[in-house]
Amino acid sequence: MSPSISSNFYAYLSRLRWIKRWGLKRNAHEENVMEHSWEVAVIAHTLALIKNRYFEGQVDANAVATAALYHDITEVITGDMPTPIKYHSSAILSAYKQIEQQAEQELLNLLPEALQPDFRVLIDHQQMSEAHQKIIKAADKISAYLKCQAELKAGNAEFEMAAEQLERDIEAMDQPEVRFFMLSFAPNCGLTLDDLMKKRKG
């Protein structure tokens, strides 16, 4: 029989649903960190598969998706830092990264000792491969871009500048799998359910 160990790790994770994103903007549809993490994970998984099937990549798509699920886990402690503030100065960014690293360690310490090495490669960004980080970062940008497009479609002009900046960031990425995704999948994300059903029947 396995030993009984008390851990608050998943109690913390469950609170990600209460951490709101885009805190400086009026949102037509509020987004929390838990749902954002799921979207980033499925986009990252798809990007990894595209890279492997079309561009001779050798990425573990399942490992990428799992790591993406945890990519914002520290925000259960730090909250969501709005991008304009985080990148306002090098001093703020450096301080935030230090806080983020401390939060990563605190969350890891909540786990039973035997599980900590397994989670370290998912939670500690310094332990993650550069290839995986690159894909997850791209997926994070795409998720944010799709959020902006949804807000604009709802008539919310608050997201115009963010959408333009994210589009530039995504276009500047030297990742063919990203271009593939943006051409093949992203445009249809703005369709209504009726439009999707029409395309399916057609």
Side-chain angles (χ1 to χ4, degrees):
M1 184 175 177
S2 61
S4 177
I5 300 173
S6 178
S7 170
N8 290 333
F9 183 76
Y10 280 97
Y12 270 92
L13 258 62
S14 69
R15 302 189 67 80
L16 286 171
R17 63 170 55 88
W18 308 122
I19 309 298
K20 302 297 184 185
R21 287 171 50 80
W22 306 94
L24 294 181
K25 296 183 183 295
R26 176 179 60 82
N27 285 249
H29 307 286
E30 286 194 341
E31 179 184 53
N32 65 58
V33 174
M34 185 177 281
E35 63 186 294
H36 167 71
S37 297
W38 177 87
E39 184 173 53
V40 172
V42 296
I43 293 173
H45 183 254
T46 303
L47 290 175
L49 291 176
I50 293 169
K51 185 178 182 70
N52 291 344
R53 300 303 181 207
Y54 292 94
F55 303 106
E56 301 181 347
Q58 294 184 341
V59 180
D60 185 337
N62 294 330
V64 168
T66 305
L69 281 171
Y70 292 90
H71 83 285
D72 275 343
I73 188 176
T74 56
E75 292 185 4
V76 77
I77 293 176
T78 67
D80 177 54
M81 174 73 78
T83 298
I85 296 175
K86 187 189 298 185
Y87 294 96
H88 179 72
S89 71
S90 58
I92 292 176
L93 181 60
S94 176
Y96 180 78
K97 286 188 176 298
Q98 290 180 32
I99 294 170
E100 189 176 50
Q101 288 171 6
Q102 181 64 38
E104 289 172 353
Q105 189 57 54
E106 288 189 20
L107 288 166
L108 283 167
N109 289 342
L110 294 174
L111 287 157
E113 189 174 350
L115 293 177
Q116 289 183 20
D118 301 296
F119 279 88
R120 187 172 297 281
V121 296
L122 300 173
I123 296 172
D124 186 345
H125 286 71
Q126 294 181 340
Q127 300 293 318
M128 197 181 303
S129 75
E130 186 177 344
H132 287 191
Q133 286 192 51
K134 194 173 180 181
I135 289 173
I136 294 169
K137 183 176 181 180
D140 195 26
K141 293 281 189 184
I142 292 171
S143 173
Y145 171 81
L146 294 176
K147 158 68 173 174
C148 290
Q149 294 304 312
E151 290 288 332
L152 292 174
K153 191 176 178 70
N156 186 2
E158 290 259 347
F159 284 77
E160 283 182 359
M161 289 185 65
E164 291 171 2
Q165 182 60 56
L166 284 162
E167 187 171 7
R168 288 193 294 270
D169 291 346
I170 292 168
E171 287 178 353
M173 290 178 177
D174 186 24
Q175 293 170 256
E177 65 273 15
V178 172
R179 290 193 292 274
F180 187 108
F181 187 98
M182 294 302 292
L183 289 172
S184 299
F185 295 105
N188 290 342
C189 289
L191 296 178
T192 65
L193 178 59
D194 289 337
D195 290 334
L196 288 169
M197 295 300 290
K198 285 178 184 176
K199 291 194 72 167
R200 182 181 174 187
K201 290 176 181 178

